[in-house]
């Protein structure tokens, strides 16, 4: 028996996938490139980022038609980052979500180009959206390029790589994850609320909420990586145990990591209340992210 | 003794490098990422694309302060494409312009991320430029993302890779180069003129001019690859001779390729006159591109 919230997640995911399809299936580009981009875009996943964006918009003045381009662009950037992250020169993963990674299904060159294509196309999608004003487009592109670029996600990736060689302390670990994972989650929450005409003050509190949400996401990720169910995750567990990579359980023990997550949850809840969204679906999404098993 | 035109090229290059430096040296990002991005951005090159953009702007209502962000963003995207193109999974080149390629100087993972960082940052640069209106920013981002994305340069890259395995005819070769090289050259010419308030009709003729300019660029590239001076080029020649890759000299003989270049030159000159820029520096740049020895 599914809960209302599970129904909500499914419904939003379906709406999102329909929008995603609209943007990608009509694209007139070389076959192999298109197949490779679609392969990773449709490889499943919870679609947490677009759903966060939709939920955040609903917490304020809901305007569905204005948010889909941002939701699709965001998921494309997330997907490109996974494709490049899985490459042999990076994490060298053969499987993701139980399917072959892009470079295993196609080849490395195609995977690099599919990632480049998704990243670039995401900016076209925002710039071409007839439902947005020029001012809104510029604001979204500023936020998206900063969140995903060398000051955001790409910085997080390189620091994460360095941390695999040289163990880091908790503060550095938080910084890495805020950049690598947190920036795109923040984009989702902020842009949903921005298009929903949240006030400047509300946006500031949402920024704080997103920061902790990113850390909650990451603690849970580390816990799943070590103790999760490989069936549900679609990938082997324990891969971080053997190497020197810093993780929450390694720095704090499993119990310490769980306690840290509770601490972040309280801070996130508080910020969300201040943003007048304490009763919104964002709170449910936060709890879902904190307890997810895949 | 340098010609006036050579002085012009040097002067514009200096102006451009100063602007480029302003955008990159103050960037507060992880050291290794920054070093890697700067390494390739400052690895030399003729800076043809930004100079084309500046010259095109001068052919209409010159507005220097408005064009630098586009010139810098364009060169960043060109540089990212070279970094990814040189990777082992793609062209596997160890040297470019006489220097080690990015992944040889750093490592593959850093090179992938430096490319991703440059691509993403280029959109920030346009979106953040205080000298542009929102309407101008959106127009530039639309053009830039289309020219460099899966409908433009990235499409050209994948078709080019496929053409290395399966020889193609002249029409396909033209299409590949129009996408792989031509789109960014077109962006340079069009955006310079657009910000200089060229008319719609002038922009249409410039689009035609750029198309042939891209092909001229590529014929000369193929000729240099086969018959050029490795010292001047900073890379070995003849690498396309041994494989099955289609090139202008292979499809048409060397004489045929030179004749084809003359044909393109006439078509480009004609379009440039119609755009009321027949006497501008764009014409000199075209001749320079057509005769360059490096």
């Amino acid at each position: 028996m599914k809960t209302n919230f599970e129904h909500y997640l499914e419904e939003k995911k379906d709406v999102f996938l329909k929008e995603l399809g609209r943007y990608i299936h009509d694209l007139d580009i070389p076959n192999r490139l298109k197949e490779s981009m679609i392969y990773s875009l449709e490889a499943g996943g919870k679609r947490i980022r677009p759903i966060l964006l939709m939920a955040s918009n609903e917490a304020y003045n809901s305007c569905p038609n204005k948010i889909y381009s941002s939701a699709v662009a965001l998921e494309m950037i997330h997907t490109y980052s996974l494709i490049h992250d899985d490459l042999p020169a990076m994490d060298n993963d053969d499987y993701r979500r139980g399917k072959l990674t892009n470079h295993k299904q196609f080849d490395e060159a195609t995977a690099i180009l599919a990632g480049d294509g998704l990243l670039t196309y995401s900016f076209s999608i925002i710039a071409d959206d007839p439902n947005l004003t020029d001012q809104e487009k510029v604001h979204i592109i500023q936020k998206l390029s900063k969140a995903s670029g060398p000051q955001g996600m790409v910085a997080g990736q390189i620091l994460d790589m360095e941390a695999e060689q040289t163990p880091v302390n908790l503060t550095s670990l938080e910084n890495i994850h805020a950049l690598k994972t947190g920036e795109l989650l923040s984009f989702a929450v902020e842009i949903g609320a921005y298009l929903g005409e949240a006030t400047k003050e509300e946006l500031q509190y949402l920024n704080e909420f997103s920061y902790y949400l990113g850390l909650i996401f990451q603690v849970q990720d580390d816990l799943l990586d070590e103790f999760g169910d490989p069936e549900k995750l679609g990938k082997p567990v324990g891969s971080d145990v053997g190497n020197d990579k810093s993780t929450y359980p390694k720095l704090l023990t499993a119990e310490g990591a769980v306690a840290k997550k509770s601490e972040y949850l309280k801070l996130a809840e508080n910020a969300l209340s201040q943003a007048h969204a304490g009763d919104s679906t964002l709170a449910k999404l936060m709890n879902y992210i904190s307890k997810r098993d895949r």
Side-chain angles (χ1 to χ4, degrees), chain A:
Chain A
M1 182 72 185
K2 280 181 183 159
T3 64
N4 281 347
F5 180 64
E6 282 165 338
H7 277 296
Y8 175 88
L9 289 179
E10 269 184 19
E11 185 202 315
K12 290 294 154 185
K13 190 168 156 176
D14 287 347
V15 169
F16 170 72
L17 289 175
K18 214 177 117 197
E19 292 296 324
L20 178 67
R22 230 166 41 82
Y23 277 102
I24 191 78
H25 285 287
D26 294 341
L27 199 56
D28 184 22
I29 59 173
N31 273 340
R32 188 175 175 80
L33 182 61
K34 189 165 172 174
E35 280 168 24
S36 170
M37 285 164 64
I38 290 180
Y39 177 80
S40 289
L41 280 174
E42 297 189 342
K46 298 171 295 293
R47 316 297 180 176
I48 274 295
R49 289 158 193 78
I51 294 175
L52 265 176
L53 199 152
M54 291 189 259
S56 178
N57 185 250
E58 288 167 1
Y60 300 92
N61 295 335
S62 176
C63 52
N65 288 335
K66 288 195 149 206
I67 60 173
Y68 296 131
S69 57
S70 296
V72 168
L74 173 60
E75 188 72 0
M76 285 191 178
I77 287 192
H78 171 58
T79 303
Y80 118 75
S81 80
L82 299 182
I83 295 174
H84 282 191
D85 216 23
D86 286 337
L87 286 168
M90 309 269 284
D91 286 353
N92 194 20
D93 281 320
D94 292 352
Y95 289 92
R96 173 171 294 275
R97 296 165 183 158
K99 288 179 73 177
L100 285 172
T101 46
N102 196 296
H103 65 276
K104 281 285 169 185
Q105 177 73 18
F106 297 90
D107 56 59
E108 266 184 71
T110 305
I112 293 168
L113 291 171
D116 294 344
L118 286 168
L119 171 57
T120 317
Y121 187 47
S122 69
F123 292 104
S124 285
I125 286 176
I126 306 295
D128 289 342
D129 184 350
N131 295 312
L132 298 172
T133 66
D134 284 345
Q135 196 189 357
E136 288 165 343
K137 291 175 185 181
V138 169
H139 181 81
I140 294 168
I141 290 168
Q142 282 175 332
K143 293 282 175 183
L144 187 59
S145 57
K146 196 149 288 162
S148 60
Q151 298 151 296
M153 187 178 69
V154 173
Q157 300 267 39
I158 207 145
L159 294 175
D160 193 40
M161 263 169 44
E162 288 173 357
E164 278 179 34
Q165 267 109 51
T166 319
V168 298
N169 62 20
L170 188 65
T171 312
S172 299
L173 189 68
E174 285 185 344
N175 180 46
I176 291 170
H177 293 314
L179 292 166
K180 192 177 170 178
T181 322
E183 290 278 336
L184 284 194
L185 296 174
S186 285
F187 173 86
V189 173
E190 280 187 67
I191 293 303
Y194 161 79
L195 290 173
E197 295 175 345
T199 66
K200 264 204 175 155
E201 210 194 354
E202 286 168 337
L203 287 170
Q204 264 164 14
Y205 282 115
L206 286 176
N207 190 277
E208 202 182 317
F209 164 74
S210 308
Y211 176 80
Y212 292 114
L213 184 68
L215 296 180
I216 292 163
F217 187 95
Q218 194 58 45
V219 180
Q220 188 63 8
D221 220 46
D222 283 356
L223 286 168
L224 286 173
D225 259 354
E226 198 156 332
F227 309 105
D229 177 347
E231 282 277 314
K232 285 187 178 164
L233 292 167
K235 65 179 179 184
V237 300
S239 62
D240 289 342
V241 180
N243 62 31
D244 278 341
K245 189 172 180 180
S246 299
T247 65
Y248 282 96
K250 268 195 223 164
L251 286 179
L252 303 172
T253 75
E255 290 72 21
V258 171
K260 196 74 188 165
K261 198 173 62 170
S262 299
E263 198 184 299
Y264 293 149
L265 275 165
K266 279 201 191 97
L267 292 161
E269 263 168 30
N270 184 46
L272 198 59
S273 293
Q274 302 272 13
H276 310 121
D279 294 331
S280 71
T281 315
L282 283 176
K284 290 191 187 118
L285 277 165
M286 176 182 69
N287 285 315
Y288 169 74
I289 286 170
S290 143
K291 288 176 191 148
R292 73 206 153 86
D293 59 5
R294 63 182 77 199

